[in-house]
Amino acid sequence: MKKIAHIALASAVALTLAGCGSSDDASTDAMADDVEVSADEAMSGPEDAGALPTADASATEDAEPAADATTAANAASDEAAAAVADVEAAAAEADNAN
C-alpha cells in the first residue's frame, strides 16, 4: 500500500512540474514583457541634464493645516478616553450590583 502511495505522489509531482513549463523552444532568450523603459533610457535623464532642481513653493508654506489636524486628533483622543472611562465606570457599577 505504501508503495502505491509513493508512486502516486511521485507521478503527481512529475505532472505538476511538467505543467509549469510552457516554453516551446528553450534556445530563445527570455524577454521581459512588462518593461516600459530600457535601462539606458532610464539612466540618461532629461535633455537638459545640467539644470539644477528648483525649490517647491508649497513645501515652505505655513503648517496651519497640520496644527488643525493635530488639534482635531487630540480632541478625538480625549473623547475616546472619556468614553473608555464611562464604560469602565458602568462595568464597575455592574460588578458592584452583583
Side-chain angles (χ1 to χ4, degrees):
M1 185 68 180
K2 284 185 179 182
K3 188 180 270 188
I4 293 173
H6 288 288
I7 292 171
L9 180 63
S11 56
V13 169
L15 289 175
T16 302
L17 290 176
C20 290
S22 65
S23 176
D24 295 334
D25 186 11
S27 65
T28 58
D29 292 333
M31 298 292 293
D33 294 334
D34 60 349
V35 174
E36 296 176 6
V37 179
S38 68
D40 292 333
E41 291 175 15
M43 297 301 293
S44 66
E47 294 297 323
D48 189 14
L52 296 175
T54 58
D56 184 9
S58 64
T60 58
E61 292 178 358
D62 291 338
E64 291 300 323
D68 292 340
T70 303
T71 304
N74 288 339
S77 175
D78 292 342
E79 290 175 13
V84 168
D86 292 342
V87 169
E88 288 175 348
E93 288 179 16
D95 285 341
N96 291 337
N98 292 331

